[in-house]
Amino acid sequence: MKTGKLRYVVRDFPLETIHPLAFKAAEAVLCAGDQGKYWEMHLLLFTNQQALGAADLPKHAGTLGLEPGKFQECLDKAAHAGEVRRDLAEGTKAGVRGTPTFFLGVIEDNSKIRVVKRIVGAHPYATFKAAVDTALVAPK
């Protein structure tokens, strides 16, 4: 249900030091997004974390019915590498040290977001519900 009260934004933060294939996997998700299958690839890679190598990514694209040449060209040209690097830099600047990290905030002056809650790690629904409820009533 769209209420306009909440916006969900995803940023990439591939931890290459402990997951050497994570950066290219992040690019693969964005390449799939170019063909309208961002969330499908995101879920597929998340559920197949042992299969993120260079040979695996085109197979996953095939599973999703992506146009193989277009997908491979996107990967080969590193078309989204700059975007992933920008996300990493922004995350580092915001104090992200690991994933997942969630920021909940309110929009001020129609452009800036003021963070009212940060959640680090996997948490149950109740944690997010309480944080969202608090953010929705936070003073503007």
Side-chain angles (χ1 to χ4, degrees):
M1 167 174 48
K2 288 190 175 188
T3 64
K5 294 181 180 179
L6 186 68
R7 185 179 312 157
Y8 186 74
V9 178
V10 175
R11 302 290 181 172
D12 293 298
F13 200 79
L15 301 170
E16 295 177 275
T17 56
I18 59 175
H19 301 295
L21 303 176
F23 192 92
K24 202 54 145 177
E27 287 183 81
V29 172
L30 294 168
C31 289
D34 291 345
Q35 296 185 49
K37 298 281 185 165
Y38 176 93
W39 287 110
E40 293 86 346
M41 182 65 89
H42 184 275
L43 179 60
L44 188 58
L45 297 188
F46 187 77
T47 57
N48 292 283
Q49 293 181 34
Q50 303 309 313
L52 300 177
D56 299 310
L57 298 176
K59 290 177 188 174
H60 295 312
T63 298
L64 296 176
L66 300 178
E67 198 283 299
K70 187 175 179 181
F71 179 81
Q72 191 63 54
E73 180 181 0
C74 181
L75 283 181
D76 291 346
K77 289 186 172 183
H80 294 288
E83 182 178 345
V84 175
R85 293 252 178 252
R86 280 189 300 279
D87 283 356
L88 271 167
E90 287 178 16
T92 300
K93 184 178 176 184
V96 174
R97 299 285 177 258
T99 62
T101 298
F102 301 89
F103 294 91
L104 284 85
V106 294
I107 297 174
E108 296 178 332
D109 302 324
N110 292 325
S111 62
K112 288 189 169 193
I113 297 174
R114 180 174 51 85
V115 174
V116 295
K117 179 74 174 174
R118 180 163 129 174
I119 302 171
V120 178
H123 289 269
Y125 170 78
T127 300
F128 288 96
K129 180 174 182 349
V132 168
D133 289 346
T134 299
L136 290 175
V137 297
K140 305 270 191 247

